[in-house]
Amino acid sequence: MTTTTTGIPPVLTVATDGGCNPNPGPGGWAWVAEEPAPGEPARYGAGSFRKTTNNIAELTAIKEVLLAFPDTALTIEFDSQYAKKCVTEWGPNWRRQGEAVWSTKKNVDLIFEIIDLLEARTAAVFWRKVKAHARDNRHPLNTAVDKLASRMSSIRGDTREEGTVLIDRELRGAASRARH
């Protein structure tokens, strides 16, 4: 594991997103990691489902980023409060309360799979809520991951891909004017 000059391991920021249109319907999920250096392409993973829900797509994006970076400290940027609470609050409580509670919940198998991935990690995971669909591009990774997840949902099939993408970091609108 690489460390900084302070001896603290670096933390990789990765944005996640998922959705479908209509809900339920064809869906897509994606994650985008921050660039290794300004202007360089960022690594991403993405996939699509023939039929899913927004919640499953959001949760799948989190699962896939944990699988892609198993030994890396992460800050996961997310715009789905549902997905984050499922894996950090509700899901652990359901598991403790037993099958009588969790058997009535939706997506519990996927939620428990993510919790197991989180518990097995040796590297930390931090969570950062960001505003979805910010037109001013104040969260460029979220903007990029939203575009990828939307593109994947338009495929209307079960597929996955990995690659690199350039991140547009230019602020727009009111946020851009406020900085000048």
Side-chain angles (χ1 to χ4, degrees):
M1 178 184 298
T2 308
T3 59
T4 63
T5 55
T6 62
I8 299 170
V11 177
L12 178 66
T13 299
V14 184
T16 61
D17 201 12
C20 60
N21 188 13
N23 185 26
W29 59 266
W31 57 261
V32 175
E34 65 188 338
E35 311 96 309
E40 289 187 21
R43 183 176 162 200
Y44 78 86
S48 64
F49 296 108
R50 195 172 316 281
K51 185 166 182 166
T52 192
T53 65
N54 284 335
N55 291 339
I56 290 173
E58 292 277 5
L59 289 164
T60 299
I62 292 172
K63 177 184 116 176
E64 293 295 331
V65 81
L66 294 172
L67 290 170
F69 299 99
D71 301 318
T72 303
L74 299 172
T75 295
I76 297 177
E77 288 189 351
F78 63 94
D79 61 18
S80 169
Q81 196 67 30
Y82 165 83
K84 191 243 182 190
K85 284 189 173 196
C86 277
V87 300
T88 63
E89 295 176 36
W90 302 332
N93 286 336
W94 298 338
R95 190 177 261 175
R96 278 191 296 278
Q97 293 170 351
E99 186 174 357
V101 171
W102 60 256
S103 65
T104 64
K105 306 299 180 186
K106 291 184 178 182
N107 310 322
V108 74
D109 290 341
L110 180 55
I111 292 165
F112 285 174
E113 187 177 355
I114 295 166
I115 292 168
D116 291 342
L117 289 169
L118 287 166
E119 290 175 351
R121 294 177 61 84
T122 57
V125 174
F126 305 97
W127 302 90
R128 181 182 306 137
K129 174 84 166 87
V130 296
K131 183 177 191 254
H133 315 289
R135 290 185 180 161
D136 60 8
N137 199 33
R138 79 179 67 178
H139 303 292
L141 287 178
N142 184 262
T143 300
V145 80
D146 179 62
K147 287 178 183 176
L148 273 170
S150 293
R151 179 174 65 80
M152 295 308 290
S153 70
S154 71
I155 291 173
R156 301 181 180 277
D158 296 320
T159 187
R160 62 186 306 119
E161 67 183 46
E162 290 191 16
T164 58
V165 62
L166 289 173
I167 305 298
D168 176 5
R169 293 204 170 266
E170 184 175 323
L171 287 175
R172 294 175 182 65
S176 173
R177 288 188 294 274
R179 291 181 61 192
H180 297 292

